[in-house]
Amino acid sequence: MIRALIIVDVQPTFCEGGELPILGGDRCAEDIAYFLEKNRDRYRLLITTQDWHIDPGAHFSATPDYVDTWPPHAQAGTVNARIHPALQGFAYDAAIRKGHYGAAYSGFEGMNDEGVSLNALLTGAGVTHVDIVGLAQSHCVCETACDAVKYGFSVRVFSDLTVPVTPELGEKASRVMCERGVALVRSCDARW
């Protein structure tokens, strides 16, 4: 089996002090960095995804409903759109950016700077198993995991390396992922 790790949207914009802060976002970034230090060699590919909004239209709103519309966040080229500082010291195989001109929750909606999609990168490297971590468990992690299943990958989300926007939304996302065939496990319980 060939594994990839996808680190979803761990950006300052979604952490404490950012435009759309998630409680525990900074700690999640630090925990993922610790996991990488111990487990990088288990993965054929190490991929990050980022919200990277250039002009996302109605995705941004001055009066957001926090369902379909949001305050401006992850604006392309800004410090808060970059990878979280805790994760900047690692060598990544690809950076997938999404949401340039509209809403995009799944990493499978984005592409790297060469225009290659996440699915093409994974299949091109012979990846069969995908582990997913990052922000937010209730939104972009859930959507990326469900799409990974749809594309035929065996998928795990490490529940201790992601946090939801709210506990209630996290519970809902967990149910959705389980129904779609995503395995939710703690990273310390992962079987290799």
PDB file of all heavy atoms in Angstrom, residues 134-174:
ATOM      1  N   GLY A 134      -6.008  18.348   9.669  1.00  0.00           N
ATOM      2  CA  GLY A 134      -6.082  19.776   9.391  1.00  0.00           C
ATOM      3  C   GLY A 134      -7.351  20.458   9.847  1.00  0.00           C
ATOM      4  O   GLY A 134      -8.031  20.011  10.763  1.00  0.00           O
ATOM      5  N   LEU A 135      -7.685  21.554   9.137  1.00  0.00           N
ATOM      6  CA  LEU A 135      -8.761  22.462   9.543  1.00  0.00           C
ATOM      7  C   LEU A 135      -9.739  22.684   8.390  1.00  0.00           C
ATOM      8  O   LEU A 135      -9.333  22.723   7.241  1.00  0.00           O
ATOM      9  CB  LEU A 135      -8.169  23.807   9.963  1.00  0.00           C
ATOM     10  CG  LEU A 135      -7.148  23.751  11.118  1.00  0.00           C
ATOM     11  CD1 LEU A 135      -6.506  25.124  11.311  1.00  0.00           C
ATOM     12  CD2 LEU A 135      -7.797  23.258  12.386  1.00  0.00           C
ATOM     13  N   ALA A 136     -10.950  22.867   8.700  1.00  0.00           N
ATOM     14  CA  ALA A 136     -11.623  22.460   9.924  1.00  0.00           C
ATOM     15  C   ALA A 136     -12.265  21.106   9.678  1.00  0.00           C
ATOM     16  O   ALA A 136     -12.735  20.811   8.583  1.00  0.00           O
ATOM     17  CB  ALA A 136     -12.693  23.474  10.328  1.00  0.00           C
ATOM     18  N   GLN A 137     -12.275  20.298  10.712  1.00  0.00           N
ATOM     19  CA  GLN A 137     -12.819  18.947  10.604  1.00  0.00           C
ATOM     20  C   GLN A 137     -14.255  18.969  10.087  1.00  0.00           C
ATOM     21  O   GLN A 137     -14.670  18.104   9.325  1.00  0.00           O
ATOM     22  CB  GLN A 137     -12.746  18.258  11.972  1.00  0.00           C
ATOM     23  CG  GLN A 137     -13.241  16.828  11.992  1.00  0.00           C
ATOM     24  CD  GLN A 137     -14.629  16.702  12.590  1.00  0.00           C
ATOM     25  OE1 GLN A 137     -15.271  17.684  12.924  1.00  0.00           O
ATOM     26  NE2 GLN A 137     -15.083  15.483  12.729  1.00  0.00           N
ATOM     27  N   SER A 138     -15.009  19.976  10.477  1.00  0.00           N
ATOM     28  CA  SER A 138     -16.426  20.062  10.126  1.00  0.00           C
ATOM     29  C   SER A 138     -16.673  20.578   8.712  1.00  0.00           C
ATOM     30  O   SER A 138     -17.801  20.530   8.230  1.00  0.00           O
ATOM     31  CB  SER A 138     -17.140  20.981  11.117  1.00  0.00           C
ATOM     32  OG  SER A 138     -16.436  22.211  11.248  1.00  0.00           O
ATOM     33  N   HIS A 139     -15.643  21.066   8.045  1.00  0.00           N
ATOM     34  CA  HIS A 139     -15.839  21.650   6.727  1.00  0.00           C
ATOM     35  C   HIS A 139     -14.860  21.054   5.708  1.00  0.00           C
ATOM     36  O   HIS A 139     -15.184  20.070   5.048  1.00  0.00           O
ATOM     37  CB  HIS A 139     -15.713  23.174   6.812  1.00  0.00           C
ATOM     38  CG  HIS A 139     -16.843  23.821   7.544  1.00  0.00           C
ATOM     39  ND1 HIS A 139     -16.978  23.780   8.912  1.00  0.00           N
ATOM     40  CD2 HIS A 139     -17.903  24.517   7.091  1.00  0.00           C
ATOM     41  CE1 HIS A 139     -18.085  24.421   9.266  1.00  0.00           C
ATOM     42  NE2 HIS A 139     -18.656  24.880   8.179  1.00  0.00           N
ATOM     43  N   CYS A 140     -13.694  21.646   5.565  1.00  0.00           N
ATOM     44  CA  CYS A 140     -12.785  21.252   4.488  1.00  0.00           C
ATOM     45  C   CYS A 140     -12.160  19.875   4.683  1.00  0.00           C
ATOM     46  O   CYS A 140     -11.910  19.165   3.715  1.00  0.00           O
ATOM     47  CB  CYS A 140     -11.721  22.324   4.293  1.00  0.00           C
ATOM     48  SG  CYS A 140     -12.446  23.898   3.751  1.00  0.00           S
ATOM     49  N   VAL A 141     -11.919  19.470   5.929  1.00  0.00           N
ATOM     50  CA  VAL A 141     -11.409  18.114   6.167  1.00  0.00           C
ATOM     51  C   VAL A 141     -12.468  17.097   5.765  1.00  0.00           C
ATOM     52  O   VAL A 141     -12.193  16.126   5.052  1.00  0.00           O
ATOM     53  CB  VAL A 141     -10.980  17.933   7.637  1.00  0.00           C
ATOM     54  CG1 VAL A 141     -10.765  16.460   7.975  1.00  0.00           C
ATOM     55  CG2 VAL A 141      -9.711  18.731   7.915  1.00  0.00           C
ATOM     56  N   CYS A 142     -13.702  17.314   6.198  1.00  0.00           N
ATOM     57  CA  CYS A 142     -14.802  16.405   5.859  1.00  0.00           C
ATOM     58  C   CYS A 142     -14.990  16.314   4.349  1.00  0.00           C
ATOM     59  O   CYS A 142     -15.087  15.208   3.795  1.00  0.00           O
ATOM     60  CB  CYS A 142     -16.084  16.886   6.540  1.00  0.00           C
ATOM     61  SG  CYS A 142     -17.544  15.888   6.172  1.00  0.00           S
ATOM     62  N   GLU A 143     -15.037  17.452   3.667  1.00  0.00           N
ATOM     63  CA  GLU A 143     -15.262  17.450   2.218  1.00  0.00           C
ATOM     64  C   GLU A 143     -14.106  16.777   1.469  1.00  0.00           C
ATOM     65  O   GLU A 143     -14.333  16.019   0.523  1.00  0.00           O
ATOM     66  CB  GLU A 143     -15.455  18.884   1.710  1.00  0.00           C
ATOM     67  CG  GLU A 143     -16.722  19.548   2.214  1.00  0.00           C
ATOM     68  CD  GLU A 143     -17.989  18.882   1.730  1.00  0.00           C
ATOM     69  OE1 GLU A 143     -18.015  18.384   0.588  1.00  0.00           O
ATOM     70  OE2 GLU A 143     -18.960  18.849   2.510  1.00  0.00           O
ATOM     71  N   THR A 144     -12.876  17.034   1.901  1.00  0.00           N
ATOM     72  CA  THR A 144     -11.714  16.405   1.252  1.00  0.00           C
ATOM     73  C   THR A 144     -11.732  14.900   1.468  1.00  0.00           C
ATOM     74  O   THR A 144     -11.474  14.121   0.535  1.00  0.00           O
ATOM     75  CB  THR A 144     -10.409  17.031   1.798  1.00  0.00           C
ATOM     76  OG1 THR A 144     -10.415  18.439   1.534  1.00  0.00           O
ATOM     77  CG2 THR A 144      -9.185  16.396   1.155  1.00  0.00           C
ATOM     78  N   ALA A 145     -12.047  14.466   2.686  1.00  0.00           N
ATOM     79  CA  ALA A 145     -12.089  13.030   2.984  1.00  0.00           C
ATOM     80  C   ALA A 145     -13.173  12.333   2.171  1.00  0.00           C
ATOM     81  O   ALA A 145     -12.937  11.250   1.599  1.00  0.00           O
ATOM     82  CB  ALA A 145     -12.313  12.823   4.479  1.00  0.00           C
ATOM     83  N   CYS A 146     -14.355  12.930   2.099  1.00  0.00           N
ATOM     84  CA  CYS A 146     -15.444  12.301   1.346  1.00  0.00           C
ATOM     85  C   CYS A 146     -15.124  12.230  -0.145  1.00  0.00           C
ATOM     86  O   CYS A 146     -15.421  11.229  -0.807  1.00  0.00           O
ATOM     87  CB  CYS A 146     -16.748  13.058   1.598  1.00  0.00           C
ATOM     88  SG  CYS A 146     -17.389  12.845   3.281  1.00  0.00           S
ATOM     89  N   ASP A 147     -14.491  13.281  -0.675  1.00  0.00           N
ATOM     90  CA  ASP A 147     -14.091  13.227  -2.081  1.00  0.00           C
ATOM     91  C   ASP A 147     -13.002  12.184  -2.314  1.00  0.00           C
ATOM     92  O   ASP A 147     -12.996  11.516  -3.350  1.00  0.00           O
ATOM     93  CB  ASP A 147     -13.602  14.598  -2.551  1.00  0.00           C
ATOM     94  CG  ASP A 147     -14.736  15.505  -2.990  1.00  0.00           C
ATOM     95  OD1 ASP A 147     -15.907  15.062  -3.002  1.00  0.00           O
ATOM     96  OD2 ASP A 147     -14.455  16.676  -3.322  1.00  0.00           O
ATOM     97  N   ALA A 148     -12.093  12.023  -1.366  1.00  0.00           N
ATOM     98  CA  ALA A 148     -11.043  11.011  -1.521  1.00  0.00           C
ATOM     99  C   ALA A 148     -11.656   9.617  -1.637  1.00  0.00           C
ATOM    100  O   ALA A 148     -11.214   8.801  -2.457  1.00  0.00           O
ATOM    101  CB  ALA A 148     -10.066  11.080  -0.355  1.00  0.00           C
ATOM    102  N   VAL A 149     -12.673   9.350  -0.841  1.00  0.00           N
ATOM    103  CA  VAL A 149     -13.385   8.066  -0.950  1.00  0.00           C
ATOM    104  C   VAL A 149     -14.029   7.950  -2.327  1.00  0.00           C
ATOM    105  O   VAL A 149     -13.951   6.910  -2.993  1.00  0.00           O
ATOM    106  CB  VAL A 149     -14.442   7.921   0.169  1.00  0.00           C
ATOM    107  CG1 VAL A 149     -15.333   6.711  -0.085  1.00  0.00           C
ATOM    108  CG2 VAL A 149     -13.767   7.814   1.528  1.00  0.00           C
ATOM    109  N   LYS A 150     -14.668   9.020  -2.761  1.00  0.00           N
ATOM    110  CA  LYS A 150     -15.336   9.026  -4.066  1.00  0.00           C
ATOM    111  C   LYS A 150     -14.361   8.701  -5.194  1.00  0.00           C
ATOM    112  O   LYS A 150     -14.714   8.016  -6.163  1.00  0.00           O
ATOM    113  CB  LYS A 150     -15.992  10.390  -4.291  1.00  0.00           C
ATOM    114  CG  LYS A 150     -16.764  10.499  -5.584  1.00  0.00           C
ATOM    115  CD  LYS A 150     -17.476  11.833  -5.696  1.00  0.00           C
ATOM    116  CE  LYS A 150     -16.470  12.907  -6.029  1.00  0.00           C
ATOM    117  NZ  LYS A 150     -17.100  14.228  -6.236  1.00  0.00           N
ATOM    118  N   TYR A 151     -13.109   9.154  -5.058  1.00  0.00           N
ATOM    119  CA  TYR A 151     -12.100   8.878  -6.080  1.00  0.00           C
ATOM    120  C   TYR A 151     -11.437   7.516  -5.906  1.00  0.00           C
ATOM    121  O   TYR A 151     -10.532   7.166  -6.663  1.00  0.00           O
ATOM    122  CB  TYR A 151     -11.044   9.982  -6.092  1.00  0.00           C
ATOM    123  CG  TYR A 151     -11.502  11.226  -6.808  1.00  0.00           C
ATOM    124  CD1 TYR A 151     -11.855  12.366  -6.092  1.00  0.00           C
ATOM    125  CD2 TYR A 151     -11.587  11.260  -8.194  1.00  0.00           C
ATOM    126  CE1 TYR A 151     -12.272  13.513  -6.748  1.00  0.00           C
ATOM    127  CE2 TYR A 151     -12.009  12.403  -8.855  1.00  0.00           C
ATOM    128  CZ  TYR A 151     -12.351  13.527  -8.125  1.00  0.00           C
ATOM    129  OH  TYR A 151     -12.772  14.665  -8.777  1.00  0.00           O
ATOM    130  N   GLY A 152     -11.868   6.742  -4.912  1.00  0.00           N
ATOM    131  CA  GLY A 152     -11.412   5.373  -4.794  1.00  0.00           C
ATOM    132  C   GLY A 152     -10.274   5.112  -3.826  1.00  0.00           C
ATOM    133  O   GLY A 152      -9.736   4.003  -3.791  1.00  0.00           O
ATOM    134  N   PHE A 153      -9.902   6.091  -3.025  1.00  0.00           N
ATOM    135  CA  PHE A 153      -8.833   5.896  -2.058  1.00  0.00           C
ATOM    136  C   PHE A 153      -9.382   5.328  -0.753  1.00  0.00           C
ATOM    137  O   PHE A 153     -10.531   5.569  -0.388  1.00  0.00           O
ATOM    138  CB  PHE A 153      -8.119   7.231  -1.763  1.00  0.00           C
ATOM    139  CG  PHE A 153      -7.491   7.840  -2.973  1.00  0.00           C
ATOM    140  CD1 PHE A 153      -8.119   8.882  -3.652  1.00  0.00           C
ATOM    141  CD2 PHE A 153      -6.282   7.370  -3.462  1.00  0.00           C
ATOM    142  CE1 PHE A 153      -7.554   9.447  -4.782  1.00  0.00           C
ATOM    143  CE2 PHE A 153      -5.702   7.926  -4.594  1.00  0.00           C
ATOM    144  CZ  PHE A 153      -6.338   8.960  -5.255  1.00  0.00           C
ATOM    145  N   SER A 154      -8.550   4.577  -0.062  1.00  0.00           N
ATOM    146  CA  SER A 154      -8.843   4.178   1.309  1.00  0.00           C
ATOM    147  C   SER A 154      -8.458   5.366   2.184  1.00  0.00           C
ATOM    148  O   SER A 154      -7.325   5.855   2.098  1.00  0.00           O
ATOM    149  CB  SER A 154      -8.025   2.940   1.680  1.00  0.00           C
ATOM    150  OG  SER A 154      -8.235   2.610   3.025  1.00  0.00           O
ATOM    151  N   VAL A 155      -9.383   5.837   3.029  1.00  0.00           N
ATOM    152  CA  VAL A 155      -9.197   7.130   3.695  1.00  0.00           C
ATOM    153  C   VAL A 155      -9.325   7.014   5.205  1.00  0.00           C
ATOM    154  O   VAL A 155     -10.278   6.418   5.714  1.00  0.00           O
ATOM    155  CB  VAL A 155     -10.230   8.164   3.183  1.00  0.00           C
ATOM    156  CG1 VAL A 155      -9.997   9.521   3.827  1.00  0.00           C
ATOM    157  CG2 VAL A 155     -10.175   8.270   1.664  1.00  0.00           C
ATOM    158  N   ARG A 156      -8.342   7.610   5.883  1.00  0.00           N
ATOM    159  CA  ARG A 156      -8.420   7.794   7.333  1.00  0.00           C
ATOM    160  C   ARG A 156      -8.305   9.279   7.640  1.00  0.00           C
ATOM    161  O   ARG A 156      -7.514   9.980   7.013  1.00  0.00           O
ATOM    162  CB  ARG A 156      -7.262   7.088   8.052  1.00  0.00           C
ATOM    163  CG  ARG A 156      -7.195   5.605   7.848  1.00  0.00           C
ATOM    164  CD  ARG A 156      -6.133   4.949   8.693  1.00  0.00           C
ATOM    165  NE  ARG A 156      -4.769   5.405   8.393  1.00  0.00           N
ATOM    166  CZ  ARG A 156      -3.667   4.806   8.835  1.00  0.00           C
ATOM    167  NH1 ARG A 156      -3.748   3.730   9.606  1.00  0.00           N
ATOM    168  NH2 ARG A 156      -2.472   5.270   8.524  1.00  0.00           N
ATOM    169  N   VAL A 157      -9.097   9.732   8.625  1.00  0.00           N
ATOM    170  CA  VAL A 157      -8.925  11.059   9.200  1.00  0.00           C
ATOM    171  C   VAL A 157      -8.451  10.850  10.625  1.00  0.00           C
ATOM    172  O   VAL A 157      -9.065  10.105  11.394  1.00  0.00           O
ATOM    173  CB  VAL A 157     -10.243  11.871   9.174  1.00  0.00           C
ATOM    174  CG1 VAL A 157     -10.130  13.122  10.038  1.00  0.00           C
ATOM    175  CG2 VAL A 157     -10.598  12.243   7.737  1.00  0.00           C
ATOM    176  N   PHE A 158      -7.343  11.490  10.970  1.00  0.00           N
ATOM    177  CA  PHE A 158      -6.822  11.382  12.335  1.00  0.00           C
ATOM    178  C   PHE A 158      -7.557  12.392  13.215  1.00  0.00           C
ATOM    179  O   PHE A 158      -7.342  13.599  13.125  1.00  0.00           O
ATOM    180  CB  PHE A 158      -5.312  11.611  12.359  1.00  0.00           C
ATOM    181  CG  PHE A 158      -4.523  10.511  11.699  1.00  0.00           C
ATOM    182  CD1 PHE A 158      -3.374  10.789  10.990  1.00  0.00           C
ATOM    183  CD2 PHE A 158      -4.932   9.186  11.797  1.00  0.00           C
ATOM    184  CE1 PHE A 158      -2.638   9.774  10.393  1.00  0.00           C
ATOM    185  CE2 PHE A 158      -4.208   8.164  11.199  1.00  0.00           C
ATOM    186  CZ  PHE A 158      -3.059   8.459  10.488  1.00  0.00           C
ATOM    187  N   SER A 159      -8.438  11.862  14.050  1.00  0.00           N
ATOM    188  CA  SER A 159      -9.353  12.693  14.830  1.00  0.00           C
ATOM    189  C   SER A 159      -8.643  13.592  15.839  1.00  0.00           C
ATOM    190  O   SER A 159      -9.195  14.619  16.236  1.00  0.00           O
ATOM    191  CB  SER A 159     -10.386  11.813  15.537  1.00  0.00           C
ATOM    192  OG  SER A 159      -9.741  10.876  16.372  1.00  0.00           O
ATOM    193  N   ASP A 160      -7.436  13.232  16.235  1.00  0.00           N
ATOM    194  CA  ASP A 160      -6.687  14.060  17.184  1.00  0.00           C
ATOM    195  C   ASP A 160      -5.848  15.122  16.484  1.00  0.00           C
ATOM    196  O   ASP A 160      -5.210  15.947  17.145  1.00  0.00           O
ATOM    197  CB  ASP A 160      -5.790  13.189  18.068  1.00  0.00           C
ATOM    198  CG  ASP A 160      -4.829  12.325  17.267  1.00  0.00           C
ATOM    199  OD1 ASP A 160      -5.241  11.781  16.222  1.00  0.00           O
ATOM    200  OD2 ASP A 160      -3.671  12.186  17.679  1.00  0.00           O
ATOM    201  N   LEU A 161      -5.866  15.135  15.157  1.00  0.00           N
ATOM    202  CA  LEU A 161      -5.091  16.110  14.390  1.00  0.00           C
ATOM    203  C   LEU A 161      -5.996  16.967  13.511  1.00  0.00           C
ATOM    204  O   LEU A 161      -5.636  17.379  12.403  1.00  0.00           O
ATOM    205  CB  LEU A 161      -4.018  15.410  13.550  1.00  0.00           C
ATOM    206  CG  LEU A 161      -2.988  14.595  14.339  1.00  0.00           C
ATOM    207  CD1 LEU A 161      -2.013  13.907  13.402  1.00  0.00           C
ATOM    208  CD2 LEU A 161      -2.241  15.474  15.345  1.00  0.00           C
ATOM    209  N   THR A 162      -7.184  17.223  14.019  1.00  0.00           N
ATOM    210  CA  THR A 162      -8.147  18.093  13.372  1.00  0.00           C
ATOM    211  C   THR A 162      -9.087  18.633  14.436  1.00  0.00           C
ATOM    212  O   THR A 162      -9.251  18.008  15.488  1.00  0.00           O
ATOM    213  CB  THR A 162      -8.929  17.358  12.257  1.00  0.00           C
ATOM    214  OG1 THR A 162      -9.785  18.282  11.590  1.00  0.00           O
ATOM    215  CG2 THR A 162      -9.745  16.198  12.811  1.00  0.00           C
ATOM    216  N   VAL A 163      -9.660  19.795  14.184  1.00  0.00           N
ATOM    217  CA  VAL A 163     -10.668  20.361  15.088  1.00  0.00           C
ATOM    218  C   VAL A 163     -11.797  20.945  14.250  1.00  0.00           C
ATOM    219  O   VAL A 163     -11.568  21.459  13.153  1.00  0.00           O
ATOM    220  CB  VAL A 163     -10.080  21.442  16.034  1.00  0.00           C
ATOM    221  CG1 VAL A 163      -9.163  20.824  17.068  1.00  0.00           C
ATOM    222  CG2 VAL A 163      -9.365  22.530  15.269  1.00  0.00           C
ATOM    223  N   PRO A 164     -13.027  20.879  14.768  1.00  0.00           N
ATOM    224  CA  PRO A 164     -14.176  21.434  14.047  1.00  0.00           C
ATOM    225  C   PRO A 164     -14.408  22.896  14.406  1.00  0.00           C
ATOM    226  O   PRO A 164     -13.859  23.405  15.386  1.00  0.00           O
ATOM    227  CB  PRO A 164     -15.334  20.561  14.547  1.00  0.00           C
ATOM    228  CG  PRO A 164     -14.956  20.260  15.967  1.00  0.00           C
ATOM    229  CD  PRO A 164     -13.451  20.125  15.963  1.00  0.00           C
ATOM    230  N   VAL A 165     -15.264  23.540  13.655  1.00  0.00           N
ATOM    231  CA  VAL A 165     -15.668  24.907  13.966  1.00  0.00           C
ATOM    232  C   VAL A 165     -16.431  24.932  15.290  1.00  0.00           C
ATOM    233  O   VAL A 165     -16.208  25.797  16.122  1.00  0.00           O
ATOM    234  CB  VAL A 165     -16.499  25.506  12.817  1.00  0.00           C
ATOM    235  CG1 VAL A 165     -17.125  26.833  13.214  1.00  0.00           C
ATOM    236  CG2 VAL A 165     -15.622  25.684  11.577  1.00  0.00           C
ATOM    237  N   THR A 166     -17.336  23.974  15.469  1.00  0.00           N
ATOM    238  CA  THR A 166     -18.047  23.801  16.740  1.00  0.00           C
ATOM    239  C   THR A 166     -18.157  22.309  17.013  1.00  0.00           C
ATOM    240  O   THR A 166     -18.122  21.496  16.077  1.00  0.00           O
ATOM    241  CB  THR A 166     -19.478  24.385  16.705  1.00  0.00           C
ATOM    242  OG1 THR A 166     -20.277  23.613  15.779  1.00  0.00           O
ATOM    243  CG2 THR A 166     -19.473  25.858  16.310  1.00  0.00           C
ATOM    244  N   PRO A 167     -18.327  21.916  18.275  1.00  0.00           N
ATOM    245  CA  PRO A 167     -18.502  20.488  18.569  1.00  0.00           C
ATOM    246  C   PRO A 167     -19.698  19.877  17.838  1.00  0.00           C
ATOM    247  O   PRO A 167     -19.614  18.744  17.356  1.00  0.00           O
ATOM    248  CB  PRO A 167     -18.707  20.467  20.087  1.00  0.00           C
ATOM    249  CG  PRO A 167     -18.012  21.694  20.581  1.00  0.00           C
ATOM    250  CD  PRO A 167     -18.225  22.724  19.504  1.00  0.00           C
ATOM    251  N   GLU A 168     -20.776  20.630  17.729  1.00  0.00           N
ATOM    252  CA  GLU A 168     -21.973  20.107  17.061  1.00  0.00           C
ATOM    253  C   GLU A 168     -21.717  19.844  15.581  1.00  0.00           C
ATOM    254  O   GLU A 168     -22.105  18.793  15.046  1.00  0.00           O
ATOM    255  CB  GLU A 168     -23.148  21.087  17.223  1.00  0.00           C
ATOM    256  CG  GLU A 168     -23.605  21.297  18.642  1.00  0.00           C
ATOM    257  CD  GLU A 168     -22.701  22.226  19.462  1.00  0.00           C
ATOM    258  OE1 GLU A 168     -21.904  22.994  18.878  1.00  0.00           O
ATOM    259  OE2 GLU A 168     -22.783  22.160  20.704  1.00  0.00           O
ATOM    260  N   LEU A 169     -21.060  20.780  14.931  1.00  0.00           N
ATOM    261  CA  LEU A 169     -20.723  20.570  13.521  1.00  0.00           C
ATOM    262  C   LEU A 169     -19.707  19.448  13.360  1.00  0.00           C
ATOM    263  O   LEU A 169     -19.728  18.716  12.367  1.00  0.00           O
ATOM    264  CB  LEU A 169     -20.194  21.864  12.902  1.00  0.00           C
ATOM    265  CG  LEU A 169     -21.229  22.967  12.684  1.00  0.00           C
ATOM    266  CD1 LEU A 169     -20.555  24.255  12.219  1.00  0.00           C
ATOM    267  CD2 LEU A 169     -22.296  22.533  11.683  1.00  0.00           C
ATOM    268  N   GLY A 170     -18.834  19.292  14.344  1.00  0.00           N
ATOM    269  CA  GLY A 170     -17.880  18.188  14.316  1.00  0.00           C
ATOM    270  C   GLY A 170     -18.562  16.839  14.394  1.00  0.00           C
ATOM    271  O   GLY A 170     -18.200  15.903  13.680  1.00  0.00           O
ATOM    272  N   GLU A 171     -19.564  16.727  15.266  1.00  0.00           N
ATOM    273  CA  GLU A 171     -20.309  15.466  15.380  1.00  0.00           C
ATOM    274  C   GLU A 171     -21.039  15.146  14.083  1.00  0.00           C
ATOM    275  O   GLU A 171     -21.053  13.998  13.623  1.00  0.00           O
ATOM    276  CB  GLU A 171     -21.295  15.556  16.541  1.00  0.00           C
ATOM    277  CG  GLU A 171     -20.628  15.555  17.911  1.00  0.00           C
ATOM    278  CD  GLU A 171     -21.616  15.808  19.039  1.00  0.00           C
ATOM    279  OE1 GLU A 171     -22.841  15.748  18.801  1.00  0.00           O
ATOM    280  OE2 GLU A 171     -21.146  16.066  20.166  1.00  0.00           O
ATOM    281  N   LYS A 172     -21.632  16.160  13.481  1.00  0.00           N
ATOM    282  CA  LYS A 172     -22.336  15.954  12.211  1.00  0.00           C
ATOM    283  C   LYS A 172     -21.362  15.498  11.127  1.00  0.00           C
ATOM    284  O   LYS A 172     -21.634  14.556  10.379  1.00  0.00           O
ATOM    285  CB  LYS A 172     -23.029  17.254  11.791  1.00  0.00           C
ATOM    286  CG  LYS A 172     -23.770  17.148  10.486  1.00  0.00           C
ATOM    287  CD  LYS A 172     -24.443  18.465  10.129  1.00  0.00           C
ATOM    288  CE  LYS A 172     -25.122  18.373   8.780  1.00  0.00           C
ATOM    289  NZ  LYS A 172     -25.705  19.665   8.368  1.00  0.00           N
ATOM    290  N   ALA A 173     -20.204  16.154  11.036  1.00  0.00           N
ATOM    291  CA  ALA A 173     -19.202  15.780  10.037  1.00  0.00           C
ATOM    292  C   ALA A 173     -18.687  14.365  10.266  1.00  0.00           C
ATOM    293  O   ALA A 173     -18.473  13.610   9.313  1.00  0.00           O
ATOM    294  CB  ALA A 173     -18.039  16.778  10.051  1.00  0.00           C
ATOM    295  N   SER A 174     -18.503  13.995  11.519  1.00  0.00           N
ATOM    296  CA  SER A 174     -18.043  12.634  11.824  1.00  0.00           C
ATOM    297  C   SER A 174     -19.044  11.605  11.326  1.00  0.00           C
ATOM    298  O   SER A 174     -18.655  10.577  10.751  1.00  0.00           O
ATOM    299  CB  SER A 174     -17.819  12.473  13.332  1.00  0.00           C
ATOM    300  OG  SER A 174     -16.723  13.252  13.751  1.00  0.00           O
TER     301      SER A 174
END
